[in-house]
Amino acid sequence: MRSLPEPGSLDSDVASLPAVPGAEAPPSATASATPLIVASLAGVLAVSVLLAIGLGAATVPPGETLRYLWAAVTGGSISADDVTAYQIIWQVRTPRVLLAVLVGAGLSVVGVAIQAMVRNALADPFVLGVSSGASAGAVLVGVTGALTALGIYAVSAGAFLGALLVSALVYLASRGAGGLMPLRLVLTGVAMAFGFQAVMSLIVYFVPDGESTSTVLFWSMGGFGAATWGALPVVTVVTAVTVVVLRRFARSLDVLALGDETSVSLGVDTLRLRRGLFVLTSLATGAMVAVSGAIGFVGLVIPHLVRLWVGAAHGRVLAIAPLVGAVFMVWADLVARTLVAPRELPLGVITALVGVPVFVVLLRRRGYLFGGR
Amino acid sequence: MTSLLLDGLSVTIDGAAVVEDLALAVEARQVVGLIGPNGSGKTTALRCVYRALRPTGGAVRIDGKDLSHMPLRDSARVIAALTQEGRADLDFTVEEVVALGRAPHVRGNQALSARERELCRRAMARMEVLHLASRGVLSLSGGERQRVLVARALVQEPQVLVLDEPTNHLDLHHQIRLLSMLKGSGLTVLVTLHDLNLAASACDRLAVLSHGRLVAYGPPADVVTEELLREVFGVEASVVTHPLTGVPQVLYDLGSATTMEGNVA
């Protein structure tokens, strides 16, 4: 009697496998190249920051810039002639460029996390309606004069609270028996965005002063014009915590991308992971929107660009995306404030004008797949 | 070795009983095939085993222990699953997907050891996907992807393997290879299959579900009968004995399908 081929037990079968030529190849080249890429990008970022601090309406050569920065950090002295330049460098441009670094890095990693959380390639940090909530909060504070106890931070606080309010509403509305459902999250977020935009329009309609209109414009386009040293500590902590925490969960994010059922079978509690991601990304986005408005495009495109470059594994993507996002944001901000100086272009305009063509070309050139062909 | 017990398993979804009081023991190293028409509760029962679903009644037990009292990671080290989710969201490479099978065994982002990388390589070779190692999974054909996912499940080093329609998308060669691999794997296997002939060849025991209830259980020769095909599957077919292996095989033609009572939507 002939029977089906007997492959033997798992172990014996495996042991009898012939060595396959070329199969000894180490993990793909990109994986081992990650530290090198990170180091190079860190270098590029450092140079970009230095140049961006020096460049502007009043151009300061990099050497001078370094000298001022050194004096500021070490408490050294500068000559009286240099005071104006020093003020521009240290009080205006440095916090602005550093904020661009932090927000660029933060929005990029939050974008990666949100795309994984809602399993949607079109998702970005604002897909859950956070930006409209922040704008509405900011405008409301501006118009009503609420939160005056917070002084110059009142509007930012209003934006943050608005962002959190929207997140909480989206969370409550998307919760079901199976936890937060990805598609429901996106749909609820989009609906909330429309709702809060309507609220905002209503406020502007009834209180048609120039200030509320420009507040709306600022919060929906974003920018670093209002950057101060005071805003940096909070954003630094938020961005650092977000990057560190997300990187710790890199493998779980990989598993999540295989599907919810598969994730559970691999020991990843998707309900808890998604809940954690939601809270973390909402707080981070809220904090960033509060200081810089809703800078679109970065959180959507940088994740895709980085995946195109180094593949999909989150360990790599989350190491590289914050640096790419930071470099991109520093240059975008530089263009925004120098192109038609002394006027300043809205940052969102630059990120979109520069990023969209690059992105479309890259998408077409490489066989990039996200969930389908 | 590890045995799997569905202990009076019941699942009610929106008031409808999808699985009712299902009692099924899969002994260690046995391959048990779960067969039944569409909507009979096969997938639902399997989802309870790999813990995507919490049973509303009864329990799934591994060596007597109730799964619902085990942390997910712990059960994932014992039970691996091939689900019907074919597609990943992101374009990981084949070797990255296979390596994710180690997720329940490694802490956080810890890199895989040399032994684990060798394990991955062997699983890929075993499923004949080693040549695809650096390809993106989203560009694979359905059958290739299915084999990659089985390799990922093997890398999990489970004692119990649960597979939902593993032969989907596979060509005949790979269907036979996969099932013979399961039979010879020494693992405790619970598998749903639509092809009754393959099921009869590959499984030690067959369990037949109909409307969420277990209606037949036993060695293929006892289960695959013309009467069962008529009553459960709504098919008038002939059952013959395979001349070489002795297992029952179903012969049917396009006139075989009958109208099934109680199955009218």
Side-chain angles (χ1 to χ4, degrees), chain B residues 118-168:
Chain B
E118 180 62 14
L119 191 71
C120 295
R121 195 186 70 82
R122 286 178 172 173
M124 285 189 279
R126 201 174 162 75
M127 296 316 298
E128 300 181 6
V129 291
L130 193 52
H131 62 290
L132 304 172
S134 51
R135 279 270 298 275
V137 280
L138 295 182
S139 65
L140 300 180
S141 77
E144 289 169 333
R145 196 161 54 225
Q146 190 81 340
R147 276 144 54 205
V148 169
L149 295 179
V150 175
R152 194 216 67 224
L154 292 178
V155 160
Q156 224 170 319
E157 290 189 302
Q159 278 142 37
V160 176
L161 190 52
V162 182
L163 307 99
D164 200 357
E165 299 295 345
T167 51
N168 268 0

Short mmCIF file of all heavy atoms in Angstrom, two decimals, chain B residues 118-168:
data_model
loop_
_atom_site.label_atom_id
_atom_site.label_comp_id
_atom_site.label_asym_id
_atom_site.label_seq_id
_atom_site.Cartn_x
_atom_site.Cartn_y
_atom_site.Cartn_z
N GLU B 118 17.79 30.40 12.84
CA GLU B 118 17.89 29.11 12.15
C GLU B 118 16.51 28.43 12.08
O GLU B 118 16.14 27.85 11.06
CB GLU B 118 18.92 28.23 12.88
CG GLU B 118 19.13 26.84 12.28
CD GLU B 118 19.66 26.87 10.85
OE1 GLU B 118 20.11 27.94 10.40
OE2 GLU B 118 19.60 25.83 10.17
N LEU B 119 15.78 28.56 13.17
CA LEU B 119 14.42 28.02 13.22
C LEU B 119 13.56 28.63 12.11
O LEU B 119 12.82 27.94 11.41
CB LEU B 119 13.82 28.34 14.59
CG LEU B 119 12.52 27.68 14.99
CD1 LEU B 119 12.74 26.21 15.27
CD2 LEU B 119 11.97 28.37 16.23
N CYS B 120 13.68 29.94 11.95
CA CYS B 120 12.92 30.64 10.91
C CYS B 120 13.32 30.13 9.53
O CYS B 120 12.48 29.89 8.68
CB CYS B 120 13.16 32.15 10.98
SG CYS B 120 12.55 32.92 12.48
N ARG B 121 14.63 29.99 9.35
CA ARG B 121 15.12 29.55 8.05
C ARG B 121 14.56 28.16 7.72
O ARG B 121 14.13 27.88 6.62
CB ARG B 121 16.66 29.52 8.07
CG ARG B 121 17.29 29.42 6.69
CD ARG B 121 18.78 29.25 6.79
NE ARG B 121 19.14 27.94 7.30
CZ ARG B 121 19.20 26.84 6.55
NH1 ARG B 121 18.94 26.91 5.27
NH2 ARG B 121 19.51 25.68 7.09
N ARG B 122 14.57 27.30 8.73
CA ARG B 122 14.09 25.94 8.48
C ARG B 122 12.60 25.91 8.21
O ARG B 122 12.13 25.13 7.37
CB ARG B 122 14.43 25.05 9.67
CG ARG B 122 15.91 24.73 9.69
CD ARG B 122 16.27 23.90 10.88
NE ARG B 122 17.65 23.45 10.76
CZ ARG B 122 18.29 22.82 11.72
NH1 ARG B 122 17.67 22.57 12.87
NH2 ARG B 122 19.53 22.45 11.55
N ALA B 123 11.88 26.73 8.94
CA ALA B 123 10.42 26.76 8.71
C ALA B 123 10.12 27.25 7.30
O ALA B 123 9.23 26.74 6.62
CB ALA B 123 9.75 27.65 9.74
N MET B 124 10.91 28.25 6.85
CA MET B 124 10.71 28.75 5.49
C MET B 124 11.06 27.68 4.47
O MET B 124 10.37 27.50 3.46
CB MET B 124 11.54 30.02 5.25
CG MET B 124 10.96 31.25 5.92
SD MET B 124 11.79 32.78 5.41
CE MET B 124 13.23 32.75 6.46
N ALA B 125 12.14 26.95 4.72
CA ALA B 125 12.54 25.89 3.80
C ALA B 125 11.46 24.81 3.77
O ALA B 125 11.09 24.31 2.72
CB ALA B 125 13.87 25.30 4.24
N ARG B 126 10.94 24.50 4.94
CA ARG B 126 9.92 23.47 5.07
C ARG B 126 8.67 23.83 4.27
O ARG B 126 8.02 22.96 3.68
CB ARG B 126 9.58 23.38 6.55
CG ARG B 126 8.95 22.13 7.01
CD ARG B 126 8.87 22.26 8.52
NE ARG B 126 7.90 21.33 9.05
CZ ARG B 126 8.13 20.04 9.16
NH1 ARG B 126 9.29 19.53 8.78
NH2 ARG B 126 7.20 19.25 9.64
N MET B 127 8.31 25.10 4.29
CA MET B 127 7.12 25.52 3.56
C MET B 127 7.47 25.98 2.14
O MET B 127 6.64 26.57 1.45
CB MET B 127 6.41 26.66 4.29
CG MET B 127 5.84 26.29 5.66
SD MET B 127 4.99 24.69 5.70
CE MET B 127 3.66 25.00 4.54
N GLU B 128 8.70 25.73 1.73
CA GLU B 128 9.14 26.09 0.37
C GLU B 128 8.95 27.57 0.06
O GLU B 128 8.47 27.95 -1.00
CB GLU B 128 8.42 25.21 -0.67
CG GLU B 128 8.70 23.73 -0.47
CD GLU B 128 8.01 22.83 -1.49
OE1 GLU B 128 7.41 23.34 -2.44
OE2 GLU B 128 8.10 21.60 -1.32
N VAL B 129 9.32 28.41 1.01
CA VAL B 129 9.25 29.85 0.76
C VAL B 129 10.60 30.52 1.02
O VAL B 129 10.69 31.74 1.05
CB VAL B 129 8.17 30.55 1.63
CG1 VAL B 129 6.79 30.15 1.18
CG2 VAL B 129 8.36 30.26 3.10
N LEU B 130 11.64 29.70 1.21
CA LEU B 130 12.94 30.27 1.54
C LEU B 130 13.43 31.20 0.42
O LEU B 130 14.04 32.24 0.68
CB LEU B 130 13.95 29.15 1.78
CG LEU B 130 15.27 29.54 2.43
CD1 LEU B 130 15.04 30.34 3.69
CD2 LEU B 130 16.09 28.30 2.73
N HIS B 131 13.12 30.84 -0.82
CA HIS B 131 13.58 31.67 -1.94
C HIS B 131 12.86 33.02 -1.96
O HIS B 131 13.26 33.93 -2.66
CB HIS B 131 13.37 30.93 -3.26
CG HIS B 131 11.92 30.61 -3.53
ND1 HIS B 131 11.21 29.68 -2.81
CD2 HIS B 131 11.06 31.12 -4.45
CE1 HIS B 131 9.97 29.62 -3.27
NE2 HIS B 131 9.84 30.50 -4.27
N LEU B 132 11.78 33.13 -1.19
CA LEU B 132 11.03 34.40 -1.16
C LEU B 132 11.44 35.27 0.02
O LEU B 132 10.86 36.35 0.23
CB LEU B 132 9.53 34.12 -1.05
CG LEU B 132 8.91 33.23 -2.13
CD1 LEU B 132 7.47 32.89 -1.77
CD2 LEU B 132 8.94 33.94 -3.48
N ALA B 133 12.44 34.81 0.81
CA ALA B 133 12.73 35.44 2.11
C ALA B 133 12.75 36.96 2.10
O ALA B 133 12.22 37.59 3.01
CB ALA B 133 14.04 34.90 2.66
N SER B 134 13.34 37.56 1.08
CA SER B 134 13.45 39.02 1.13
C SER B 134 12.37 39.72 0.28
O SER B 134 12.41 40.93 0.09
CB SER B 134 14.84 39.46 0.69
OG SER B 134 15.16 38.86 -0.54
N ARG B 135 11.41 38.94 -0.22
CA ARG B 135 10.29 39.54 -0.96
C ARG B 135 9.30 40.18 0.00
O ARG B 135 9.15 39.75 1.14
CB ARG B 135 9.56 38.45 -1.75
CG ARG B 135 10.22 38.08 -3.06
CD ARG B 135 9.71 38.91 -4.24
NE ARG B 135 8.29 38.74 -4.50
CZ ARG B 135 7.77 37.77 -5.25
NH1 ARG B 135 8.55 36.88 -5.79
NH2 ARG B 135 6.46 37.70 -5.45
N GLY B 136 8.58 41.19 -0.47
CA GLY B 136 7.53 41.79 0.34
C GLY B 136 6.30 40.89 0.34
O GLY B 136 5.96 40.33 -0.70
N VAL B 137 5.66 40.72 1.50
CA VAL B 137 4.53 39.78 1.56
C VAL B 137 3.34 40.23 0.73
O VAL B 137 2.56 39.41 0.28
CB VAL B 137 4.04 39.53 3.00
CG1 VAL B 137 4.93 38.54 3.70
CG2 VAL B 137 3.90 40.80 3.79
N LEU B 138 3.20 41.54 0.54
CA LEU B 138 2.03 42.01 -0.19
C LEU B 138 2.12 41.72 -1.68
O LEU B 138 1.13 41.80 -2.39
CB LEU B 138 1.80 43.51 0.05
CG LEU B 138 1.45 43.88 1.49
CD1 LEU B 138 1.20 45.38 1.60
CD2 LEU B 138 0.21 43.13 1.96
N SER B 139 3.32 41.39 -2.14
CA SER B 139 3.45 41.11 -3.57
C SER B 139 3.38 39.61 -3.87
O SER B 139 3.52 39.20 -5.00
CB SER B 139 4.77 41.68 -4.10
OG SER B 139 5.85 41.02 -3.49
N LEU B 140 3.14 38.80 -2.83
CA LEU B 140 3.09 37.36 -3.06
C LEU B 140 1.72 36.93 -3.57
O LEU B 140 0.73 37.64 -3.41
CB LEU B 140 3.35 36.61 -1.73
CG LEU B 140 4.68 36.85 -1.04
CD1 LEU B 140 4.74 36.03 0.23
CD2 LEU B 140 5.83 36.52 -1.95
N SER B 141 1.68 35.75 -4.17
CA SER B 141 0.37 35.19 -4.54
C SER B 141 -0.30 34.65 -3.29
O SER B 141 0.34 34.48 -2.25
CB SER B 141 0.57 34.06 -5.55
OG SER B 141 1.02 32.90 -4.88
N GLY B 142 -1.59 34.39 -3.39
CA GLY B 142 -2.34 33.91 -2.23
C GLY B 142 -1.74 32.64 -1.63
O GLY B 142 -1.63 32.52 -0.41
N GLY B 143 -1.34 31.73 -2.49
CA GLY B 143 -0.79 30.47 -1.99
C GLY B 143 0.55 30.64 -1.33
O GLY B 143 0.84 30.05 -0.29
N GLU B 144 1.39 31.49 -1.94
CA GLU B 144 2.70 31.75 -1.34
C GLU B 144 2.54 32.38 0.03
O GLU B 144 3.20 32.00 1.01
CB GLU B 144 3.51 32.69 -2.24
CG GLU B 144 4.00 32.05 -3.52
CD GLU B 144 4.56 33.07 -4.52
OE1 GLU B 144 4.15 34.25 -4.49
OE2 GLU B 144 5.39 32.67 -5.34
N ARG B 145 1.59 33.34 0.12
CA ARG B 145 1.37 34.02 1.38
C ARG B 145 0.87 33.05 2.44
O ARG B 145 1.31 33.09 3.58
CB ARG B 145 0.34 35.14 1.16
CG ARG B 145 0.33 36.15 2.27
CD ARG B 145 -0.32 37.44 1.81
NE ARG B 145 -1.64 37.22 1.25
CZ ARG B 145 -2.08 37.76 0.13
NH1 ARG B 145 -1.31 38.57 -0.55
NH2 ARG B 145 -3.29 37.51 -0.30
N GLN B 146 0.01 32.16 2.03
CA GLN B 146 -0.52 31.17 2.96
C GLN B 146 0.62 30.31 3.53
O GLN B 146 0.67 30.04 4.72
CB GLN B 146 -1.54 30.30 2.22
CG GLN B 146 -2.34 29.37 3.10
CD GLN B 146 -3.50 30.11 3.76
OE1 GLN B 146 -3.49 31.34 3.87
NE2 GLN B 146 -4.47 29.37 4.23
N ARG B 147 1.56 29.94 2.68
CA ARG B 147 2.68 29.12 3.14
C ARG B 147 3.58 29.92 4.08
O ARG B 147 4.13 29.38 5.04
CB ARG B 147 3.47 28.60 1.94
CG ARG B 147 2.85 27.33 1.36
CD ARG B 147 2.98 27.27 -0.15
NE ARG B 147 4.34 27.42 -0.60
CZ ARG B 147 4.68 27.87 -1.82
NH1 ARG B 147 3.74 28.20 -2.68
NH2 ARG B 147 5.94 27.98 -2.15
N VAL B 148 3.74 31.20 3.80
CA VAL B 148 4.53 32.05 4.70
C VAL B 148 3.88 32.08 6.09
O VAL B 148 4.56 31.98 7.11
CB VAL B 148 4.64 33.48 4.13
CG1 VAL B 148 5.23 34.44 5.16
CG2 VAL B 148 5.47 33.48 2.86
N LEU B 149 2.55 32.17 6.10
CA LEU B 149 1.86 32.26 7.39
C LEU B 149 1.95 30.94 8.16
O LEU B 149 2.04 30.93 9.38
CB LEU B 149 0.40 32.66 7.17
CG LEU B 149 0.22 34.07 6.59
CD1 LEU B 149 -1.25 34.39 6.38
CD2 LEU B 149 0.88 35.12 7.48
N VAL B 150 1.95 29.83 7.42
CA VAL B 150 2.14 28.55 8.11
C VAL B 150 3.55 28.48 8.69
O VAL B 150 3.75 28.05 9.84
CB VAL B 150 1.89 27.36 7.16
CG1 VAL B 150 2.21 26.05 7.87
CG2 VAL B 150 0.46 27.35 6.66
N ALA B 151 4.54 28.95 7.92
CA ALA B 151 5.91 28.98 8.43
C ALA B 151 5.98 29.81 9.71
O ALA B 151 6.63 29.44 10.68
CB ALA B 151 6.86 29.54 7.37
N ARG B 152 5.27 30.94 9.71
CA ARG B 152 5.26 31.79 10.90
C ARG B 152 4.67 31.04 12.10
O ARG B 152 5.19 31.12 13.20
CB ARG B 152 4.42 33.04 10.63
CG ARG B 152 4.58 34.14 11.64
CD ARG B 152 3.28 34.87 11.88
NE ARG B 152 2.33 33.98 12.52
CZ ARG B 152 1.06 33.87 12.21
NH1 ARG B 152 0.55 34.58 11.23
NH2 ARG B 152 0.26 33.02 12.83
N ALA B 153 3.62 30.28 11.85
CA ALA B 153 3.01 29.51 12.94
C ALA B 153 3.96 28.43 13.45
O ALA B 153 4.05 28.17 14.65
CB ALA B 153 1.69 28.89 12.47
N LEU B 154 4.71 27.80 12.55
CA LEU B 154 5.66 26.76 12.98
C LEU B 154 6.77 27.35 13.84
O LEU B 154 7.23 26.73 14.80
CB LEU B 154 6.27 26.06 11.75
CG LEU B 154 5.32 25.20 10.92
CD1 LEU B 154 6.06 24.63 9.72
CD2 LEU B 154 4.73 24.08 11.78
N VAL B 155 7.20 28.56 13.47
CA VAL B 155 8.28 29.22 14.19
C VAL B 155 7.88 29.52 15.64
O VAL B 155 8.71 29.66 16.52
CB VAL B 155 8.66 30.51 13.42
CG1 VAL B 155 9.39 31.49 14.28
CG2 VAL B 155 9.49 30.14 12.21
N GLN B 156 6.59 29.59 15.85
CA GLN B 156 6.07 29.82 17.20
C GLN B 156 6.39 28.63 18.11
O GLN B 156 6.20 28.72 19.32
CB GLN B 156 4.55 30.04 17.10
CG GLN B 156 4.02 31.17 17.93
CD GLN B 156 2.56 31.47 17.58
OE1 GLN B 156 2.18 31.47 16.40
NE2 GLN B 156 1.74 31.73 18.57
N GLU B 157 6.84 27.53 17.56
CA GLU B 157 7.11 26.29 18.29
C GLU B 157 5.96 25.91 19.21
O GLU B 157 6.15 25.72 20.42
CB GLU B 157 8.41 26.42 19.10
CG GLU B 157 9.63 26.47 18.24
CD GLU B 157 10.90 26.38 19.07
OE1 GLU B 157 11.11 27.24 19.94
OE2 GLU B 157 11.67 25.44 18.85
N PRO B 158 4.78 25.78 18.62
CA PRO B 158 3.62 25.46 19.44
C PRO B 158 3.56 23.96 19.71
O PRO B 158 4.29 23.18 19.10
CB PRO B 158 2.46 25.86 18.54
CG PRO B 158 2.96 25.56 17.16
CD PRO B 158 4.44 25.81 17.18
N GLN B 159 2.72 23.59 20.66
CA GLN B 159 2.40 22.18 20.82
C GLN B 159 1.05 21.88 20.18
O GLN B 159 0.78 20.75 19.81
CB GLN B 159 2.38 21.81 22.31
CG GLN B 159 3.79 21.54 22.82
CD GLN B 159 4.01 22.06 24.22
OE1 GLN B 159 3.11 21.99 25.05
NE2 GLN B 159 5.18 22.58 24.47
N VAL B 160 0.26 22.92 20.08
CA VAL B 160 -1.04 22.77 19.44
C VAL B 160 -1.10 23.74 18.25
O VAL B 160 -0.71 24.90 18.37
CB VAL B 160 -2.18 23.11 20.42
CG1 VAL B 160 -3.54 23.06 19.71
CG2 VAL B 160 -2.16 22.18 21.62
N LEU B 161 -1.53 23.23 17.12
CA LEU B 161 -1.63 24.07 15.94
C LEU B 161 -3.08 24.09 15.49
O LEU B 161 -3.71 23.04 15.35
CB LEU B 161 -0.72 23.49 14.85
CG LEU B 161 -0.45 24.31 13.60
CD1 LEU B 161 0.02 25.71 13.96
CD2 LEU B 161 0.60 23.62 12.74
N VAL B 162 -3.60 25.30 15.30
CA VAL B 162 -4.99 25.46 14.89
C VAL B 162 -4.98 26.12 13.53
O VAL B 162 -4.35 27.16 13.36
CB VAL B 162 -5.73 26.37 15.90
CG1 VAL B 162 -7.18 26.49 15.51
CG2 VAL B 162 -5.61 25.83 17.29
N LEU B 163 -5.63 25.53 12.56
CA LEU B 163 -5.59 26.10 11.22
C LEU B 163 -6.99 26.23 10.65
O LEU B 163 -7.75 25.26 10.65
CB LEU B 163 -4.74 25.23 10.28
CG LEU B 163 -3.31 24.90 10.74
CD1 LEU B 163 -3.28 23.51 11.34
CD2 LEU B 163 -2.33 25.00 9.60
N ASP B 164 -7.30 27.43 10.18
CA ASP B 164 -8.61 27.68 9.59
C ASP B 164 -8.46 27.69 8.08
O ASP B 164 -7.89 28.61 7.51
CB ASP B 164 -9.14 29.04 10.09
CG ASP B 164 -10.65 29.14 9.93
OD1 ASP B 164 -11.24 28.19 9.38
OD2 ASP B 164 -11.21 30.16 10.35
N GLU B 165 -8.96 26.67 7.45
CA GLU B 165 -8.88 26.55 5.99
C GLU B 165 -7.45 26.74 5.46
O GLU B 165 -7.21 27.62 4.62
CB GLU B 165 -9.79 27.59 5.32
CG GLU B 165 -11.25 27.45 5.67
CD GLU B 165 -11.84 26.16 5.14
OE1 GLU B 165 -11.20 25.52 4.29
OE2 GLU B 165 -12.92 25.77 5.61
N PRO B 166 -6.51 25.94 5.92
CA PRO B 166 -5.13 26.18 5.51
C PRO B 166 -4.87 25.91 4.04
O PRO B 166 -3.91 26.41 3.48
CB PRO B 166 -4.33 25.19 6.38
CG PRO B 166 -5.30 24.10 6.68
CD PRO B 166 -6.64 24.77 6.79
N THR B 167 -5.75 25.12 3.41
CA THR B 167 -5.48 24.79 2.01
C THR B 167 -6.03 25.83 1.04
O THR B 167 -5.85 25.71 -0.16
CB THR B 167 -6.09 23.41 1.66
OG1 THR B 167 -7.45 23.41 2.07
CG2 THR B 167 -5.35 22.30 2.37
N ASN B 168 -6.70 26.87 1.59
CA ASN B 168 -7.16 27.97 0.73
C ASN B 168 -6.02 28.49 -0.13
O ASN B 168 -4.94 28.75 0.38
CB ASN B 168 -7.63 29.14 1.60
CG ASN B 168 -9.11 29.05 1.90
OD1 ASN B 168 -9.76 28.12 1.44
ND2 ASN B 168 -9.61 30.00 2.66
#
